[in-house]
Amino acid sequence: YLSHNEDLIPTFRGVLFIEMLGKNYPFILQKLSQANSIFDKIMESIVKEHDPEFKIEPFLQNILNNERMFNAPGIQVPMFLIASTMPKSHEDFPYKEHHSSLDTPDNIDLDNLKESKELILKIIDAIEANGISFEAKKKD
């Protein structure tokens, strides 16, 4: 997508990458590479309100997935990550079935998935309440 829409990259104000939200493990917020933005403040506030035990990690200190690619040199799309995983120090991190034939929909915890949806809706509401638009506008 980015290679075909390079002109849009400078217009991106923030991206939320979500993954592995169907497990009943602690939530993790991985912050932006560009620290102390309005998005950092909103995200930290919402996740702490949602769950005071919510783990907040610096950029590239947890999952290391698409957020790494979107923040590659020359791209720099600001991207948060929210996931629900075992602690990084656990031998089965991020979860035991990850990238195996056992990683099936039968392993999804629907309550955690519903909680994840509520969290993401809170984040969207907070961003909208702060008057922040995520619309990408082409520069003239």
Side-chain angles (χ1 to χ4, degrees):
Y1 176 81
L2 293 178
S3 68
H4 296 288
N5 295 283
E6 289 183 37
D7 59 319
L8 293 179
I9 293 172
T11 67
F12 291 140
R13 299 183 62 192
V15 176
L16 177 60
F17 179 63
I18 56 175
E19 68 174 340
M20 295 185 262
L21 296 174
K23 296 301 247 178
N24 190 18
Y25 298 132
F27 283 108
I28 296 167
L29 168 67
Q30 186 170 267
K31 296 174 66 170
L32 293 175
S33 61
Q34 305 83 357
N36 299 319
S37 72
I38 184 70
F39 298 110
D40 282 305
K41 293 173 181 137
I42 290 171
M43 295 292 281
E44 285 189 47
S45 173
I46 295 301
V47 299
K48 288 290 187 185
E49 176 187 297
H50 182 81
D51 179 0
E53 301 298 315
F54 209 111
K55 187 166 174 108
I56 298 175
E57 298 271 2
F59 181 67
L60 295 183
Q61 295 300 307
N62 202 279
I63 304 294
L64 303 178
N65 205 335
N66 288 349
E67 73 284 0
R68 179 176 48 174
M69 305 315 158
F70 275 71
N71 275 278
I75 299 174
Q76 296 299 305
V77 173
M79 183 178 285
F80 284 97
L81 164 84
I82 292 184
S84 175
T85 70
M86 290 181 172
K88 193 170 184 176
S89 60
H90 194 281
E91 66 183 62
D92 290 328
F93 170 82
Y95 58 93
K96 188 174 183 172
E97 304 86 6
H98 189 249
H99 287 176
S100 78
S101 61
L102 300 175
D103 196 359
T104 67
D106 295 335
N107 293 312
I108 292 175
D109 181 302
L110 291 178
D111 289 335
N112 209 63
L113 206 53
K114 288 176 187 174
E115 182 181 354
S116 301
K117 178 191 85 169
E118 292 305 316
L119 172 63
I120 291 159
L121 290 174
K122 284 181 188 177
I123 291 167
I124 292 168
D125 288 344
I127 289 169
E128 288 179 347
N130 279 281
I132 299 170
S133 170
F134 278 99
E135 289 182 30
K137 296 178 182 169
K138 290 189 178 189
K139 293 184 178 181
D140 294 327

